Amino acid sequence: NVNAENTSSPEWYKLFGNNLKGEITISAPDGFELSFSDDEGYAKVLKVVPSGGKAEKIIFVRFVPDKEKSYYDYVVNTADNLKTSVRVRGSSR
């Protein structure tokens, strides 16, 4: 729970992939932002370029609601023709 117009402390997940041919696009839903660092560089979309077909990164996610409502959606990780999702939810008051 976060007041509207405020920001939560970040949570994180580990992104891991093998045999990748192209970059990974990570997209945040409405009310959330992403970063490779816990304290700076937050954005709606991140890109990861695999090295030797492999990628391993910690992705930080913070809740930044702009309205008083409940948010429930997914951070989407897309690489080549693969897509994975990480559920995120928050409530602002």
Side-chain angles (χ1 to χ4, degrees):
N1 287 323
V2 174
N3 291 331
E5 307 290 331
N6 287 340
T7 302
S8 73
S9 297
E11 298 288 335
W12 62 272
Y13 69 93
K14 188 172 192 176
L15 177 74
F16 183 82
N18 284 315
N19 302 318
L20 300 168
K21 294 175 179 46
E23 71 182 11
I24 303 166
T25 301
I26 307 157
S27 303
D30 185 37
F32 294 87
E33 293 178 333
L34 309 165
S35 180
F36 297 124
S37 170
D38 66 342
D39 61 353
E40 65 183 7
Y42 281 86
K44 295 299 281 180
V45 176
L46 298 177
K47 304 272 186 179
V48 175
V49 178
S51 175
K54 295 182 180 186
E56 188 172 343
K57 285 273 190 193
I58 299 295
I59 307 300
F60 291 91
V61 183
R62 70 181 183 186
F63 182 42
V64 289
D66 59 355
K67 294 184 177 124
E68 290 187 14
K69 67 176 191 172
S70 291
Y71 293 77
Y72 182 93
D73 211 333
Y74 294 87
V75 172
V76 178
N77 308 285
T78 307
D80 303 330
N81 60 349
L82 304 171
K83 186 186 285 190
T84 61
S85 301
V86 177
R87 185 179 68 178
V88 290
R89 67 180 177 189
S91 180
S92 68
R93 39 193 148 90

